[in-house]
């Protein structure tokens, strides 16, 4: 009920709280995109907080939250994957894990 009252007051005053939220969201998205452009490894930090084992597709999903432009997306994805190689992330069975993580067991269950 409170949101409807706020909307009614906003209409009377000539402004929309929904538009303010949209503008605030876009401002935050732009700030986050700028941070990622400066330090693409932030995306790896974000992904690793959400899941312990992840693929390049998972990285792409997180990056896509902040970057809409295809060219910028591809450029950042390349930088992230290069950074991943330099920082010790390994690919194993299409999954990434920190270099300090032990490799998965290769023994088969009998």
């Amino acid at each position: 009920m409170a949101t409807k009252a706020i909307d009614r007051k906003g209409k009377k005053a000539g402004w929309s709280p929904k538009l303010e939220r949209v503008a605030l969201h876009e401002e935050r998205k732009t700030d986050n995109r700028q941070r990622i452009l400066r330090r693409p490894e932030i995306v790896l930090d974000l992904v690793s907080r959400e899941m312990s084992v992840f693929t390049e597709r998972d990285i792409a999903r997180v990056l896509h939250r902040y970057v809409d432009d295809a060219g910028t997306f591809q450029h950042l994805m390349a930088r992230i994957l290069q950074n991943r190689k330099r920082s010790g992330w390994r690919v194993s069975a299409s999954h990434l894990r920190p270099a300090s993580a032990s490799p998965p067991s290769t023994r088969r269950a009998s």
Side-chain angles (χ1 to χ4, degrees), residues 1 7 14 26 42 44 49 56 59 64 77 79 81-82 84-85 99-100 109:
M1 291 299 198
D7 285 339
E26 287 300 318
I42 292 172
L44 285 175
R49 285 184 197 148
E56 290 179 12
I59 295 170
H64 190 263
M77 192 67 182
R79 285 180 60 194
L81 295 177
Q82 286 174 348
R84 170 195 56 125
K85 291 174 186 173
S100 60

Side-chain angles (χ1 to χ4, degrees), residues 13-74:
W15 59 275
S16 172
K18 290 179 184 175
L19 292 178
E20 285 183 10
R21 287 191 294 258
V22 169
L24 181 61
H25 174 73
E26 287 300 318
E27 182 181 324
R28 287 181 181 163
K29 188 175 178 178
T30 301
D31 290 344
N32 288 333
R33 182 177 26 250
Q34 292 302 321
R35 286 187 190 116
I36 290 170
L37 284 168
R38 285 191 302 267
R39 293 188 49 233
E41 63 273 8
I42 292 172
V43 176
L44 285 175
D45 293 339
L46 290 170
V47 175
S48 64
R49 285 184 197 148
E50 293 177 12
M51 54 190 84
S52 59
V53 177
F54 51 89
T55 65
E56 290 179 12
R57 186 174 183 180
D58 297 319
I59 295 170
R61 283 185 191 143
V62 170
L63 181 59
H64 190 263
R65 290 181 203 163
Y66 304 101
V67 179
D68 296 329
D69 179 59
T72 304
F73 177 86
Q74 290 175 347

